[in-house]
Amino acid sequence: MIFLILLLVLKLSAGQDECTLTTCSHHGPTIRFPFRLNNHQPQHCGYPSFDLSCSQTNDTVLDLPFSVKVLINYINYTSQSIHITDPYGCFPRQLRNLNLSSSPFQFSDFVYDFSLFNCPAKGRQFYHRTCLSDESGSEVIVVYSDFFIYYEPLLSCRKMYNISSVSFEVFDQTPDLQLKWPKQICGNCKHKTSIVD
Ligand SMILES: *[C@@H]1O[C@H](CO)[C@@H](O)[C@H](O)[C@H]1NC(C)=O
Ligand SMILES: *[C@@H]1O[C@H](CO)[C@@H](O)[C@H](O)[C@H]1NC(C)=O
Ligand SMILES: *[C@@H]1O[C@H](CO)[C@@H](O)[C@H](O)[C@H]1NC(C)=O
Ligand SMILES: *[C@@H]1O[C@H](CO)[C@@H](O)[C@H](O)[C@H]1NC(C)=O
């Protein structure tokens, strides 16, 4: 009898779903296939590029190539998209290193190439001022790289760096950035819980 009970308990625990829904906090997005909470769930619960972690402040963190960390506020499993923010509230600082070509994630909006310039004087009203301005004390502006030659000369401005293939929203003061992942990653993500099911 004891043996039978033991067998039953073993069977129940083995059948228990190790890929159950999880979150980083009670207001954080639900994490499930194709996402996986790194170090908490086995690898087969998600796809490699969909590994998430929880920050010390219980935010949901996604790593993008190369060494770009973004916070996920919301995951829409129906439209297969995520809403992201920058952990420090200034995307232009870290998106210099962003390269999504090897990632399943793509911007939902159109993408362009941009060039950043650091200008000493303030009040360049025809240019878009970025959040980097506040840190450097000078004015950091952004222009479309392709149309650069049509702008009035940026006298005394110093070219900083390019940010390639991003949507213009990354330069908004409070960006609502959306990335999407392709349908073929998991077919109908709604009903799947792991790679092996
Ligand atoms: C994060 O979550 C843990 C466990 O729920 C809680 O003890 C801690 O206070 C939370 N930290 C923050 C910064 O909210
Ligand atoms: C998720 O995406 C679907 C399909 O695009 C849309 O109908 C739905 O409103 C979205 N949900 C939220 C909460 O935005
Ligand atoms: C992005 O990375 C790929 C290789 O993964 C490389 O071929 C490509 O040149 C990179 N793009 C940029 C803009 O650096
Ligand atoms: C930045 O973009 C401009 C315009 O497309 C280009 O001429 C320049 O070489 C780029 N700079 C770097 C460092 O990639």
Side-chain angles (χ1 to χ4, degrees), residues 49-185:
S49 304
F50 291 78
D51 281 0
L52 303 180
S53 55
C54 299
S55 72
Q56 284 184 336
T57 47
N58 298 339
D59 287 311
T60 312
V61 181
L62 171 69
D63 288 287
L64 295 169
F66 296 96
S67 306
V68 173
K69 278 190 194 304
V70 300
L71 307 182
I72 302 188
N73 295 336
Y74 177 69
I75 303 173
N76 190 329
Y77 288 94
T78 308
S79 61
Q80 302 200 177
S81 61
I82 54 176
H83 292 248
I84 58 167
T85 55
D86 183 84
Y88 306 103
C90 188
F91 271 120
R93 192 193 303 110
Q94 61 164 343
L95 291 194
R96 174 189 194 172
N97 300 319
L98 185 71
N99 183 337
L100 292 179
S101 66
S102 62
S103 157
F105 296 100
Q106 301 299 327
F107 283 93
S108 298
D109 290 308
F110 283 115
V111 296
Y112 307 92
D113 295 335
F114 297 95
S115 303
L116 294 184
F117 288 85
N118 186 318
C119 306
K122 302 227 188 285
R124 267 164 236 272
Q125 55 181 325
F126 299 114
Y127 295 99
H128 188 85
R129 197 170 179 270
T130 72
C131 49
L132 288 164
S133 305
D134 307 324
E135 303 171 0
S136 59
S138 44
E139 196 163 51
V140 177
I141 58 170
V142 59
V143 301
Y144 289 100
S145 296
D146 284 348
F147 304 126
F148 177 56
I149 51 167
Y150 301 113
Y151 289 90
E152 69 179 81
L154 290 165
L155 295 175
S156 69
C157 296
R158 181 171 55 83
K159 172 84 185 283
M160 290 173 73
Y161 50 82
N162 291 343
I163 298 184
S164 308
S165 304
V166 299
S167 70
F168 188 80
E169 277 80 3
V170 305
F171 301 106
D172 281 353
Q173 216 141 41
T174 50
D176 175 29
L177 269 194
Q178 262 188 68
L179 302 181
K180 57 186 178 182
W181 74 87
K183 290 272 182 261
Q184 58 267 29
I185 287 282

Side-chain angles (χ1 to χ4, degrees), residues 15-57:
Q16 215 168 45
D17 191 2
E18 53 201 347
C19 300
T20 48
L21 310 185
T22 184
T23 59
C24 286
S25 71
H26 50 83
H27 57 268
T30 303
I31 298 168
R32 62 170 176 81
F33 189 82
F35 294 94
R36 168 182 88 102
L37 195 55
N38 207 358
N39 301 328
H40 284 81
Q41 296 174 317
Q43 290 214 312
H44 71 86
C45 295
Y47 276 99
S49 304
F50 291 78
D51 281 0
L52 303 180
S53 55
C54 299
S55 72
Q56 284 184 336
T57 47

